Amino acid sequence: MTAIKHALQRDIFTPNDERLLGIVNVCKAGKKKRNCFLCATVTTERPVQVKVVKVKKSDKGDFYKRQQTWELRDLMEVDAKDASKENPEFDLHFEKVYRWVASSAAEKNSFISCIWKLNQRYLRKKVEFVNVSSQLLEELPKAEESVPSGESQSVAGGDEDALDDYQELSAREEQDIEGMMEMCEYAVSNAEAFAEQLSRELQVLDGANIQSIMASEKQVNILMQLLDEALGEVDTIEGKLSSYEEMLQSVKEQMDQISQSNRLIQISNTNNVKLLDEIQFLVNYMDLSKGHVRALQEGDLTSPKGIEACINASEALSQCMNVALRPGHDKLAAVTQQQLLFAELRDTFARRLTNHLNNVFVHQFNHFSHFKMTMPQFYRSSCLSLPGHDQSSTLSQHSEMSLPKHSPLHRDLLRYAKLMEWLKNTHREKYEGLSRTYVDYMSRLYEREIKDFFEVAKIKMAGTSKEAKGKFATLPRKESALKQETESLHGSSGKLTGSTSSLNKLTVQGANSRRSQSSSLLDMGNMSASDLDVADRTKFDKIFEQVLSELEPLCLAEQDFISKFFKLQQHPAVMPPLAQPETEEADGGSVSRIPPQAEHRQSLSSEKDLVRLMMNKIFQSIETELNSLIALGDKIDSFNSLYMLVKMSHHVWTAENVDPASYLSTTLGNVLVTVKRNFDKCISAQIRQMEEVKISKKSKVGILLFVTGFEEFAELAETIFRNAERRGDLDKAYVKLIRAVFTNVEKVANESQKTPRDVVMMENFHHIFSTLSRLKISCLDAERREAKHKYTDHLQSYVINSLGQPLEKLNHFFEGVEARVAQGVREEEVSYQLAFNKQELRKVIKEYPGKEVKKGLDNLYKKVDKHLCEEESLLQVVWHSMQDEFIRQYKHFEDLIGRCYPGSGITMEFTIRDMLEYFSSIAQSH
């Protein structure tokens, strides 16, 4: 082992300025592998670094290599497994546990002892040793422990000598030994003589040292005398210090008494400060001024100053009641008494506020109701005093299409908004009771106003034309009842004063687009096929737009007021304070309502749902009245559904931009579904009329009624839907209608007996193509091209079929010639066929001189004139096409004569110039 140790020192550690202090031959526990060495080393340079190095013998050759290195400071624990028995196994705990088996227990103990000593010297006992014998863990000399590492070279060197039995000579020691051996010639040959010489020299040096010590005895005696004198002085000083200590002891006792007194005073002051702080806290946060108490008990709730004082008092009361008391405050009698006083004030003021607001609601409701019942009486009496006047027309003339303003009511009530918030946070039952009271009164008020408003709108709408007035008598029970109720209201709708101003946010977003659409509808074109004229439809559109324009700001203003007054935007959602409505009959129609017992089971996800529920209760009649008005408009004229679809879509879009979840947006969206359903019924009705069309067997067909009807519908729709949001619905309707038109035109053409099928197809598809080209409907581009293709095909077919009659025999003759050529007969040999020789050709040509041809063309022109209708003006187009086809046939005949009868000199009896003259003269003569 010593040889291996020297080899490792020389080959591995000396080049790295390290010194090997301990070594053990080990292998890993539980594995059969070659042995390796664990070495404990220190660096020769300062500061000293202690390491544990794993060294393994190389597989290729007889040398060692460093395999792994750990810092000793990273070693946490050394486990020797058993302290009582000899056991070669031990564990080293670095970042993980390494289990080793030494070659012998002695080597293991020697290595652990080396590690322990290095830990004591350099790591200050940082490593923990477990299951290690106490004999191995012997303490280092105190003198060595007291000297820090690296402070004394001699101490460190002595310890390292104790740790290791071998040390190399330094260069200076080697030089001294070599010099001494050179001085003695026999130092190597006679070691005993050399040793004796060294011994004699050592004795001489020892004698010199003794003589030097003896010569210094006098100085030692002087030194001892001085030490005795010093000890005497020390005794004197110690006596004085003892007297001083006795004096300081009495002072210390007095200072202790003073300190104790100061400590008690300080504790008393601290307690006084804390007590004062608690009293100030209670006084500051639980004291309500007399002015606030007076305002809560008898404050004026009608004047602005009184309301402001009550608001300040209620806020101060809330702060006092909601103050976070510190531990123990609730046990104080004053605090308990003050809390009872606050609760009494809260209940008193909540009762006063609730009664006052209930009185305000009742007063405002009675005021508006009295205003509505008294003002229209003037118009009623004036109507009765005019003999011969229709009462409903007079009422519609005097009644204004406007809803009353509620902004004064909202403005008065908003003064109490902060008090309502206080009531909501303190007395939820009274807050919910006020909410139900407000909703109940306002629902009755709005129901009366909205019904009067819609009655006037229906009377104006039904009076747009004489025929519409006739239709009014045939309306369902609901509309008739409304008219009778209107006549019996003593003019209750005669003076709906004022006009509800729209909210700014609605006006900014929707006013421009609404204005542009209204103006475009006022400028729509001719609608001759409708039961009503342009003015009637324009008036209907204006009335419907005015109805929606009045309802929008009314609903938005009420919703904005509810949110602000009942404070439904600052706190989490609560259960709805209003009672849920039930299903009941109103004006012949049922209104779907939620039963009251479902109120407590319904959970609201946000306060917008609560606002919407209140709005549904207040404006429960709007959706029903709108559907009734839409039904009336659809009854007057089905085309009114186009106007209503555009207007309603625009207002829904505007409302969704303001608030997608608002009551107005939801209600108008529901009504829009009804309008869209009526629009679809209008389209289906037109398609059904197309399918049921019947034609006369005695007269020519001409342009079909449903074709002109589609043209009028398209012109009207393009005018109405210009820049509309629901353009997609119209495009879908266009596609359905145009396909139905195509199908039924072909059906009528197949059934036509008086007019040829090609003429019916040509004229109607030409009209459809002209209409689509003029209107430029992008979604019908494919149908426009299809209509043009059908028109062109049937024009060509009609021309070809008609031209076979003027030169019938000539056509049959050349058809036979072409048949022979097609059967394989050479063209120059056709003239040798008996039926198609030159004589037969001359005979046929002579039957068609120019005069006969002109006569035949004249008869053809008359027949075409009888087939075609005057509306489309296609006669000249057809005649020009016939001229082109006739010239094409003429050139074809001449070409066949030149190829099949070459050199015969046979020609037609007339020329192309003659034909052009015939066609021109015939067209001019008619």
Side-chain angles (χ1 to χ4, degrees):
M1 181 62 70
T2 304
I4 294 175
K5 186 175 182 181
H6 292 169
L8 294 176
Q9 176 67 48
R10 181 184 64 251
D11 297 337
I12 294 178
F13 299 113
T14 300
N16 293 326
D17 296 330
E18 293 177 314
R19 182 173 296 171
L20 176 60
L21 302 181
I23 185 170
V24 60
N25 186 3
V26 297
C27 65
K28 289 187 177 181
K31 297 184 180 179
K32 296 182 179 179
K33 292 188 177 180
R34 292 194 307 172
N35 294 350
C36 58
F37 298 97
L38 290 180
C39 304
T41 66
V42 295
T43 58
T44 57
E45 297 180 355
R46 305 292 180 181
V48 178
Q49 296 181 4
V50 187
K51 301 179 182 179
V52 178
V53 183
K54 179 183 176 183
V55 178
K56 190 176 182 181
K57 193 172 184 179
S58 176
D59 297 334
K60 300 177 181 179
D62 190 13
F63 63 90
Y64 298 94
K65 63 180 180 179
R66 185 192 298 252
Q67 189 173 14
Q68 193 171 0
T69 303
W70 299 273
E71 294 286 346
L72 188 62
R73 64 173 177 268
D74 296 333
L75 180 62
M76 296 176 287
E77 182 180 319
V78 176
D79 187 0
K81 297 297 185 182
D82 194 346
S84 58
K85 296 181 181 181
E86 295 293 333
N87 185 2
E89 297 182 0
F90 66 98
D91 296 343
L92 298 181
H93 293 249
F94 288 100
E95 74 280 357
K96 65 179 183 178
V97 180
Y98 294 91
R99 306 183 186 279
W100 306 101
V101 179
S103 59
S104 65
E107 287 189 11
K108 181 192 82 169
N109 294 335
S110 176
F111 183 74
I112 291 177
S113 178
C114 180
I115 293 295
W116 183 81
K117 292 177 181 180
L118 291 173
N119 174 49
Q120 295 293 320
R121 174 167 296 279
Y122 295 106
L123 299 183
R124 295 295 185 267
K125 304 179 182 179
K126 179 181 178 182
V127 182
E128 183 178 358
F129 291 83
V130 181
N131 298 323
V132 180
S133 175
S134 59
Q135 298 176 359
L136 295 177
L137 305 180
E138 55 185 10
E139 293 292 336
L140 289 176
K142 294 183 179 180
E144 292 181 351
E145 289 184 357
S146 62
V147 180
S149 174
E151 181 176 334
S152 174
Q153 179 65 31
S154 61
V155 175
D159 184 67
E160 290 171 0
D161 290 341
L163 292 173
D164 196 2
D165 58 353
Y166 171 78
Q167 289 186 356
E168 291 184 344
L169 295 176
S170 63
R172 183 174 180 180
E173 290 174 341
E174 290 180 357
Q175 291 178 2
D176 292 340
I177 293 173
E178 289 178 357
M180 187 170 54
M181 294 178 67
E182 289 177 357
M183 292 174 61
C184 186
E185 297 179 356
Y186 52 87
V188 177
S189 59
N190 191 354
E192 294 179 358
F194 181 64
E196 290 178 359
Q197 182 180 352
L198 292 178
S199 179
R200 287 194 299 270
E201 291 179 357
L202 181 60
Q203 291 176 0
V204 172
L205 292 175
D206 288 340
N209 288 336
I210 293 172
Q211 291 177 1
S212 176
I213 291 172
M214 293 175 66
S216 60
E217 183 179 0
K218 184 178 181 180
Q219 285 81 5
V220 171
N221 293 332
I222 296 172
L223 178 61
M224 294 300 293
Q225 184 180 359
L226 292 175
L227 289 175
D228 292 338
E229 293 176 358
L231 289 174
E233 292 293 335
V234 169
D235 292 338
T236 304
I237 293 173
E238 285 182 353
K240 292 182 179 181
L241 290 176
S242 297
S243 64
Y244 293 158
E245 185 176 359
E246 292 176 358
M247 296 172 64
L248 291 175
Q249 183 65 29
S250 61
V251 175
K252 178 178 178 297
E253 293 175 357
Q254 295 176 3
M255 292 302 296
D256 289 341
Q257 293 178 359
I258 296 173
S259 175
Q260 183 68 20
S261 301
N262 289 338
R263 188 178 302 108
L264 295 176
I265 294 173
Q266 185 177 3
I267 293 174
S268 177
N269 290 337
T270 304
N271 292 336
N272 291 333
V273 170
K274 290 184 178 179
L275 179 59
L276 180 61
D277 180 62
E278 297 294 335
I279 293 174
Q280 288 180 347
F281 173 80
L282 294 176
V283 170
N284 291 336
Y285 292 100
M286 294 200 68
D287 184 33
L288 197 63
S289 66
K290 294 182 179 180
H292 289 335
V293 174
R294 189 182 309 109
L296 293 173
Q297 291 178 344
E298 53 187 27
D300 185 10
L301 290 172
T302 58
S303 64
K305 290 184 178 180
I307 295 174
E308 184 67 23
C310 291
I311 291 174
N312 295 334
S314 63
E315 292 177 351
L317 178 61
S318 297
Q319 292 177 359
C320 292
M321 297 188 68
N322 297 328
V323 64
L325 295 177
R326 297 172 184 174
H329 284 176
D330 53 346
K331 298 181 181 180
L332 297 176
V335 173
T336 305
Q337 182 180 0
Q338 198 75 353
Q339 288 177 338
L340 293 175
L341 175 62
F342 293 158
E344 183 180 355
L345 289 173
R346 178 195 61 191
D347 296 339
T348 301
F349 182 68
R351 187 165 52 253
R352 290 183 60 242
L353 178 62
T354 304
N355 294 335
H356 178 76
L357 290 179
N358 276 325
N359 293 335
V360 171
F361 295 159
V362 174
H363 173 72
Q364 293 291 345
F365 175 76
N366 293 335
H367 171 72
F368 276 91
S369 301
H370 178 73
F371 175 78
K372 288 178 56 60
M373 294 302 295
T374 56
M375 291 300 293
Q377 184 66 28
F378 167 76
Y379 295 105
R380 174 68 176 174
S381 59
S382 62
C383 294
L384 295 176
S385 63
L386 295 176
H389 279 234
D390 180 40
Q391 184 174 341
S392 62
S393 62
T394 305
L395 179 62
S396 64
Q397 292 173 4
H398 286 283
S399 300
E400 297 180 2
M401 284 284 294
S402 62
L403 286 165
K405 290 183 179 180
H406 291 166
S407 55
L409 171 62
H410 294 166
R411 185 171 57 251
D412 291 341
L413 290 178
L414 282 177
R415 299 183 302 169
Y416 303 97
K418 291 185 178 180
L419 294 177
M420 283 297 296
E421 182 179 10
W422 175 84
L423 192 64
K424 178 181 179 181
N425 297 329
T426 56
H427 267 278
R428 181 53 59 88
E429 294 181 359
K430 293 186 182 297
Y431 168 80
E432 293 177 354
L434 278 176
S435 302
R436 286 192 293 268
T437 302
Y438 176 80
V439 169
D440 181 58
Y441 280 115
M442 294 308 294
S443 62
R444 286 187 285 169
L445 178 61
Y446 275 119
E447 183 177 8
R448 184 181 305 171
E449 293 176 350
I450 290 171
K451 282 187 177 181
D452 293 345
F453 175 72
F454 274 94
E455 285 166 4
V456 175
K458 290 174 184 178
I459 293 173
K460 286 181 174 291
M461 189 179 293
T464 53
S465 66
K466 295 180 179 179
E467 184 177 354
K469 292 180 181 179
K471 288 183 178 181
F472 189 83
T474 64
L475 291 177
R477 183 188 66 82
K478 182 174 180 179
E479 281 75 14
S480 300
L482 284 173
K483 183 177 180 182
Q484 295 174 3
E485 185 178 349
T486 304
E487 294 177 352
S488 63
L489 282 176
H490 304 288
S492 61
S493 61
K495 185 65 177 179
L496 301 180
T497 59
S499 175
T500 305
S501 60
S502 60
L503 299 179
N504 292 333
K505 56 184 179 181
L506 178 66
T507 305
V508 172
Q509 295 186 15
N512 295 332
S513 56
R514 188 186 300 117
R515 190 181 305 113
S516 62
Q517 289 198 359
S518 299
S519 62
S520 65
L521 295 181
L522 293 175
D523 298 333
M524 59 187 178
N526 182 25
M527 318 216 173
S528 57
S530 176
D531 295 334
L532 304 177
D533 56 10
V534 176
D536 292 336
R537 284 180 175 166
T538 304
K539 189 173 182 180
F540 170 82
D541 173 63
K542 184 177 180 181
I543 294 171
F544 192 73
E545 168 64 22
Q546 190 173 0
V547 169
L548 296 180
S549 299
E550 289 290 328
L551 289 177
E552 273 187 359
L554 180 71
C555 294
L556 290 174
E558 184 63 31
Q559 180 171 331
D560 184 63
F561 168 75
I562 289 175
S563 300
K564 293 179 179 179
F565 182 70
F566 291 100
K567 294 298 178 182
L568 296 178
Q569 295 175 338
Q570 290 81 9
H571 302 286
V574 296
M575 293 301 296
L578 55 129
Q580 304 300 323
E582 298 179 350
T583 302
E584 60 184 33
E585 294 294 322
D587 295 334
S590 63
V591 181
S592 177
R593 304 180 185 179
I594 304 173
Q597 57 269 23
E599 174 184 357
H600 298 290
R601 296 194 302 267
Q602 185 175 9
S603 60
L604 300 176
S605 60
S606 66
E607 291 196 345
K608 289 186 177 180
D609 297 331
L610 178 56
V611 173
R612 190 160 52 248
L613 285 176
M614 296 179 71
M615 292 289 291
N616 284 333
K617 174 67 177 177
I618 293 175
F619 294 106
Q620 55 186 335
S621 61
I622 282 186
E623 186 171 346
T624 304
E625 293 293 341
L626 275 174
N627 288 330
S628 176
L629 186 68
I630 290 169
L632 175 61
D634 191 61
K635 185 77 174 180
I636 293 174
D637 184 1
S638 61
F639 276 11
N640 285 337
S641 61
L642 277 70
Y643 294 95
M644 292 187 288
L645 180 62
V646 173
K647 291 297 183 184
M648 189 61 68
S649 301
H650 176 71
H651 283 271
V652 169
W653 175 80
T654 305
E656 288 180 348
N657 285 343
V658 176
D659 184 4
S662 66
Y663 164 79
L664 180 64
S665 176
T666 305
T667 302
L668 293 184
N670 295 336
V671 176
L672 179 60
V673 174
T674 304
V675 175
K676 177 60 169 59
R677 191 178 296 116
N678 291 343
F679 175 75
D680 294 338
K681 290 180 181 178
C682 176
I683 300 302
S684 300
Q686 293 189 53
I687 295 175
R688 186 166 56 254
Q689 291 175 3
M690 296 179 192
E691 296 171 350
E692 296 173 356
V693 67
K694 301 295 182 181
I695 59 173
S696 175
K697 297 181 180 180
K698 296 182 180 180
S699 60
K700 59 184 177 181
V701 176
I703 304 301
L704 296 171
L705 289 178
F706 59 80
V707 174
T708 56
F710 172 77
E711 178 185 11
E712 294 172 356
F713 173 81
E715 289 176 349
L716 175 63
E718 286 300 307
T719 304
I720 296 174
F721 278 81
R722 186 178 300 133
N723 301 324
E725 290 82 5
R726 299 294 291 248
R727 178 71 195 192
D729 295 332
L730 179 62
D731 292 342
K732 294 178 183 178
Y734 274 149
V735 173
K736 292 180 181 178
L737 287 174
I738 199 67
R739 299 317 307 178
V741 169
F742 281 13
T743 302
N744 288 283
V745 166
E746 294 183 3
K747 174 186 174 184
V748 171
N750 294 331
E751 296 175 354
S752 175
Q753 298 179 1
K754 183 71 174 177
T755 306
R757 178 179 184 276
D758 289 330
V759 173
V760 176
M761 297 287 286
M762 173 184 65
E763 289 182 330
N764 284 279
F765 279 106
H766 177 267
H767 190 85
I768 294 171
F769 170 71
S770 300
T771 300
L772 297 180
S773 300
R774 174 169 52 85
L775 296 179
K776 298 179 180 180
I777 303 173
S778 59
C779 67
L780 298 181
D781 285 341
E783 285 74 10
R784 178 179 58 81
R785 291 190 294 270
E786 183 181 355
K788 182 179 180 181
H789 178 70
K790 289 181 179 291
Y791 154 69
T792 305
D793 289 349
H794 288 285
L795 172 62
Q796 190 68 20
S797 175
Y798 177 67
V799 168
I800 293 174
N801 293 334
S802 299
L803 280 178
Q805 299 174 1
L807 305 177
E808 185 175 2
K809 293 182 180 180
L810 193 61
N811 277 331
H812 291 326
F813 181 84
F814 282 110
E815 286 176 359
V817 171
E818 289 177 343
R820 292 293 187 276
V821 174
Q823 293 173 1
V825 179
R826 297 175 62 182
E827 292 181 347
E828 57 271 14
E829 296 178 358
V830 172
S831 60
Y832 298 105
Q833 298 287 326
L834 181 63
F836 302 102
N837 56 25
K838 297 178 182 178
Q839 289 77 12
E840 292 295 329
L841 176 61
R842 289 190 179 96
K843 181 190 295 186
V844 173
I845 290 176
K846 286 183 180 180
E847 291 184 7
Y848 293 100
K851 187 175 181 180
E852 290 296 327
V853 170
K854 182 177 181 181
K855 182 179 178 181
L857 291 175
D858 187 65
N859 293 333
L860 177 62
Y861 185 89
K862 293 178 180 178
K863 192 168 186 178
V864 170
D865 190 20
K866 291 180 180 180
H867 289 164
L868 299 178
C869 65
E870 297 179 357
E871 291 87 348
E872 281 303 294
S873 302
L874 289 178
L875 179 59
Q876 295 303 323
V877 176
V878 174
W879 188 244
H880 183 72
S881 298
M882 287 184 171
Q883 174 182 304
D884 295 339
E885 180 63 22
F886 198 90
I887 294 174
R888 188 191 65 78
Q889 289 185 9
Y890 180 86
K891 292 180 179 180
H892 180 63
F893 294 158
E894 284 190 338
D895 180 63
L896 287 177
I897 293 173
R899 287 188 286 111
C900 299
Y901 304 93
S904 63
I906 301 174
T907 59
M908 303 289 286
E909 294 291 329
F910 54 90
T911 63
I912 292 178
R913 184 174 181 180
D914 296 335
M915 285 190 300
L916 293 175
E917 184 179 353
Y918 297 158
F919 276 96
S920 177
S921 61
I922 291 172
Q924 291 176 0
S925 63
H926 294 280

